Amino acid sequence: NNNSVTNGSVISGHGTVNVGTGTLTNNGTLAPGGSSATGILTIDGNMIMGASGIINIEVNDTRLVSL
């Protein structure tokens, strides 16, 4: 069961995207936390970054950040 984030689409917020046995192909934007917020967005399963895929993260330099 494969899923896609299409060009122009956004997945944002906090939580887990459970892909199961399929693959998530990102051709849109993944934004952990959302607009002006830090957060954790977990992809549970396989993910492929497509040619137009974006991961939009915000880093707060006063906190310990692991990328």
Side-chain angles (χ1 to χ4, degrees), residues 11-14 30-41 56-60 63:
I11 294 180
S12 66
H14 307 271
L30 298 179
S35 178
S36 299
T38 57
I40 297 173
L41 183 61
N56 184 1
I57 61 172
E58 296 188 24
V59 178
N60 182 343
R63 300 174 71 186

Side-chain angles (χ1 to χ4, degrees), residues 25-48:
T25 301
N26 179 33
N27 286 305
T29 301
L30 298 179
S35 178
S36 299
T38 57
I40 297 173
L41 183 61
T42 301
I43 307 299
D44 187 4
N46 298 316
M47 185 181 91
I48 296 171

